[in-house]
Amino acid sequence: MRVVIVTESFPPEVNGVAHSVLRTAEHLVRRGHQPLVVTPAPARGAQCPPETFGSPGAGEIPVVRIPSMPLPGYPQVRIALPSRQLAAAVARHRPDLVHLASPFVLGARGMQVAARLGVPAVAVYQTDLAGYAHAYRAGRGLGEAAAWRRIRAVHRAAARTLAPSTPAAQDLTAHGVPRVQLWPRGVDSARFHPRHRDEALHRALAPGGEVLVGYVGRLAPEKRVDLLAAASALPGVRVVVVGDGPSAPGLKASMPGAVFLGRRTGDELARCFATLDVFVHTGPLETFCQTIQEAMASGVPVIGPAAGGPLDLVGHHRTGLLVPPRDGAAVARAVAELAADPARRAAYGQAGRAEVTARTWEAVGDLLLRHYAEVLAEHRGVPVAAVGAMVGPVGAGAPVGTVGAGVEGATAEGALSEGALSEELPA
């Protein structure tokens, strides 16, 4: 099967979209398929192969990088410029299916290309762009309502929309997006493992024996890392922040007692996770929250907002604690509660680890292939078994079901025409 993955982000960028796309492309290669990734080009000077990604042993992934510009106010994010390269790359690859990862700018253009070529598209919802528009107080019409209009335009044109969590799926359905189904994310529970806990690192970060409370992720307004300020002032607690971004200077000023480690990746990141005593995620706009899964795999109890993806991931009073979103005092109370109870921390950590070990990227990748098979069968008007040879073995995952009662009835007239899509999505 030939698949074009059009994504708004890809390595060397470090974020949830880039990571899940890489894992998806790797899984397609392992299953004998032929993916092509199309993504905005990184900033000049970034270390990345221009035409392939991956190692020869794991299979190389061809990548087409579209000229891009930095997002104003957040230069780490790249926005693809209008280019004929996208249409040419898709047509040249002759895909059976187009996979749109967190489509908004480049993904919207990818949807137009797929529609023009008569190729079915699967749109993967990963970023709460409407929430981001609010967090950044976007002007010139790009507010929450405008963001939802754009999201609807892309996803209504797709044969299927895949949401990473139940709350994200419900949000999409409530805003008029049809054909929504669940597709969660995997976690590497071999890399993220309690055995990587480093007591020497713990002593270096918390020399007074403090309970080490950590955040891992981008330092940006929508992540609300400022909500850790009250927790960082608690006696016997040391806050450590792993990541970088535009909010870093302000956060360092507001939390002088916290340790800021900057960006960490690979085995070094796994060691940081496992060395924490408590993991806290503060962002209220997560459609999933991969770092919570990575903390759970590392055997670390978690505290997260009772909103979005964390609602699916955190078992309240079982694997961690859920707190009201955007409430720094509630975060501090939860941190104090776990800091005072080592036995409870250990129990939550063990339960969290047990919960995520089966969520492998292989199992999640095979579930995606089942979605592909259903979309291709529907597009061709044949039984799913008829496309089985093309998709190949996909394992025995959970049943693929539509989220929310009456979603199929909410499809209205189905996918938008290319013309309607073009009207809503200016190039």
Side-chain angles (χ1 to χ4, degrees), residues 128 134 167 221-228 280-286 292 303-311 316 321-334:
D128 183 0
H134 177 77
E222 73 276 5
K223 298 299 182 181
R224 292 306 308 272
V225 186
D226 59 293
L227 296 174
L228 280 171
V280 181
H281 187 82
T282 47
L285 302 177
E286 301 300 328
I292 283 182
I303 297 170
L311 287 169
H316 189 51
L321 299 174
L322 290 167
V323 299
R326 302 178 180 85
D327 189 337
V331 171
R333 287 193 298 271

Side-chain angles (χ1 to χ4, degrees), residues 3 14 26 87 94 105 109 112 123 218 220 249 302 327 348:
V3 179
V14 179
E26 288 174 339
R94 295 178 291 108
V105 178
R109 298 176 192 139
Q112 293 174 343
R218 290 197 308 277
V302 299
D327 189 337
Y348 286 179

Side-chain angles (χ1 to χ4, degrees), residues 27 183-187 358-369:
H27 186 75
W183 181 54
R185 301 292 175 268
V187 64
R359 298 178 192 169
T360 65
W361 281 105
E362 181 180 21
V364 167
D366 282 349
L367 180 56
L368 178 64
L369 289 174

Side-chain angles (χ1 to χ4, degrees), residues 64-88:
V64 173
R65 300 185 185 270
I66 306 298
S68 68
M69 61 173 285
L71 179 67
Y74 198 166
Q76 294 92 335
V77 175
R78 307 294 299 185
I79 302 297
L81 296 169
S83 170
R84 295 180 180 177
Q85 284 182 254
L86 170 62

Side-chain angles (χ1 to χ4, degrees), residues 4-417:
V4 171
I5 304 176
V6 182
T7 176
E8 307 290 344
S9 183
F10 193 70
E13 294 183 24
V14 179
N15 56 57
V17 173
H19 181 67
S20 67
V21 169
L22 175 59
R23 289 293 196 161
T24 296
E26 288 174 339
H27 186 75
L28 289 173
V29 171
R30 281 195 298 270
R31 287 288 188 249
H33 302 298
Q34 296 172 271
L36 169 71
V37 173
V38 183
T39 186
R44 290 183 181 177
Q47 297 297 315
C48 70
E51 297 178 353
T52 61
F53 198 92
S55 61
E60 293 190 346
I61 301 160
V63 181
V64 173
R65 300 185 185 270
I66 306 298
S68 68
M69 61 173 285
L71 179 67
Y74 198 166
Q76 294 92 335
V77 175
R78 307 294 299 185
I79 302 297
L81 296 169
S83 170
R84 295 180 180 177
Q85 284 182 254
L86 170 62
V90 175
R92 190 166 54 245
H93 195 65
R94 295 178 291 108
D96 300 292
L97 182 141
V98 172
H99 174 127
L100 307 172
S102 197
F104 197 64
V105 178
L106 185 62
R109 298 176 192 139
M111 184 68 256
Q112 293 174 343
V113 172
R116 189 161 59 245
L117 295 175
V119 177
V122 171
V124 180
Y125 179 71
Q126 292 181 255
T127 307
D128 183 0
L129 293 164
Y132 278 31
H134 177 77
Y136 283 90
R137 296 177 174 83
R140 298 186 180 179
L142 189 60
E144 291 178 79
W148 273 116
R149 284 195 297 273
R150 194 172 179 87
I151 291 167
R152 277 193 298 272
V154 177
H155 288 270
R156 281 178 173 170
R160 178 169 298 188
T161 286
L162 301 181
S165 64
T166 307
Q170 292 169 340
D171 206 17
L172 287 164
T173 302
H175 284 87
V177 174
R179 300 177 295 281
V180 179
Q181 298 195 12
L182 280 174
W183 181 54
R185 301 292 175 268
V187 64
D188 186 342
S189 57
R191 164 164 283 176
F192 296 99
H193 195 286
R195 66 171 171 261
H196 299 309
R197 184 176 175 89
D198 187 334
E199 295 298 341
L201 176 61
H202 193 286
R203 287 191 296 271
L205 295 172
E210 298 91 346
V211 172
L212 204 57
V213 176
Y215 165 88
V216 178
R218 290 197 308 277
L219 307 185
E222 73 276 5
K223 298 299 182 181
R224 292 306 308 272
V225 186
D226 59 293
L227 296 174
L228 280 171
S232 71
L234 292 171
V237 168
R238 176 60 56 87
V239 168
V240 59
V241 177
V242 180
D244 59 14
S247 296
L251 291 170
K252 290 176 181 179
S254 65
M255 294 191 290
V259 179
F260 288 80
L261 296 180
R263 195 177 89 172
R264 295 289 187 270
T265 59
D267 293 341
E268 191 176 11
L269 176 62
R271 186 167 64 109
C272 289
F273 263 114
T275 303
L276 297 176
D277 298 308
V278 178
F279 175 79
V280 181
H281 187 82
T282 47
L285 302 177
E286 301 300 328
T287 61
F288 188 72
C289 198
Q290 183 67 8
T291 54
I292 283 182
Q293 279 207 138
E294 291 165 350
M296 291 169 70
S298 303
V300 178
V302 299
I303 297 170
L311 287 169
D312 272 5
L313 299 175
V314 182
H316 189 51
H317 290 300
R318 188 169 54 82
T319 65
L321 299 174
L322 290 167
V323 299
R326 302 178 180 85
D327 189 337
V331 171
R333 287 193 298 271
V335 167
E337 191 176 326
L338 292 185
D341 196 340
R344 197 167 158 205
R345 295 200 305 269
Y348 286 179
Q350 290 171 6
R353 168 79 185 170
E355 189 156 307
V356 301
T357 50
R359 298 178 192 169
T360 65
W361 281 105
E362 181 180 21
V364 167
D366 282 349
L367 180 56
L368 178 64
L369 289 174
R370 295 185 70 201
H371 284 295
Y372 285 178
E374 291 185 16
V375 166
L376 285 169
E378 182 177 331
H379 180 71
R380 297 176 182 187
V382 299
V384 174
V387 297
M390 176 189 298
V391 175
V394 294
V400 179
T402 299
V403 176
V407 172
E408 291 302 327
T411 59
E413 271 60 57
L416 291 180
S417 68

